[in-house]
Amino acid sequence: MCRELLDSGRIEFGSHTYNAHEDGRWVQRIGDETQEEYEARIFPDIQKSIDRIEEELGTRVQYFAYPQGRSDPWSDEFIQSRFDMTVTSEPTVADLSKGLYKLPRITVYMDIPLSRILPE
């Protein structure tokens, strides 16, 4: 189904981590986690997501959406070296003059009409 969507030319797939979002820790540091521990936990997880998408879909992964919109300075360089653009979940308008990293995005839920989200 993903390949079919990709082939339509209307959909692009990006990373959201492989599993780091499942345990509620997202991409942020945990407690007194050292930088070495953090990198060992987060970097392979993000890379696994990239590798899996590229393997399954045969396309380069260009975009990253931070789980829960939460980022961490310790991952900025790693993420920016692998993605052309990243998004958080700040419900504001993007200012492209500030670059293509940590752009805001609006979360869309199936039970909320788009007319409540999109400007008129």
Side-chain angles (χ1 to χ4, degrees):
M1 194 173 2
C2 290
R3 284 185 204 99
E4 186 177 323
L5 288 168
L6 184 68
D7 289 344
S8 76
R10 295 182 178 145
I11 302 290
E12 295 180 37
F13 288 87
S15 175
H16 189 60
T17 74
Y18 185 79
N19 195 42
H21 61 287
E22 292 293 328
D23 60 12
R25 297 184 291 186
W26 310 297
V27 181
Q28 292 181 305
R29 283 175 264 173
I30 301 168
D32 61 353
E33 185 174 45
T34 68
Q35 188 163 354
E36 184 176 276
E37 292 167 334
Y38 173 83
E39 291 176 1
R41 177 175 62 86
I42 292 298
F43 293 1
D45 185 87
I46 294 170
Q47 190 62 52
K48 185 173 183 178
S49 170
I50 295 167
D51 294 345
R52 180 79 190 271
I53 293 168
E54 290 181 349
E55 176 185 310
E56 293 292 334
L57 299 180
T59 188
R60 182 175 163 268
V61 182
Q62 297 176 304
Y63 311 106
F64 183 78
Y66 287 98
Q68 296 294 315
R70 298 179 183 168
S71 63
D72 192 287
W74 282 356
S75 64
D76 287 349
E77 184 179 331
F78 178 85
I79 289 172
Q80 290 179 15
S81 73
R82 285 158 175 77
F83 300 99
D84 297 333
M85 184 177 86
T86 65
V87 294
T88 65
S89 56
E90 297 294 320
T92 63
V93 176
D95 180 353
L96 297 180
S97 70
K98 294 180 180 178
L100 297 176
Y101 294 102
K102 297 184 184 175
L103 292 171
R105 68 178 168 138
I106 297 172
T107 303
V108 177
Y109 297 97
M110 296 303 290
D111 60 341
I112 298 175
L114 284 178
S115 60
R116 287 186 48 204
I117 298 169
L118 298 175
E120 292 184 26

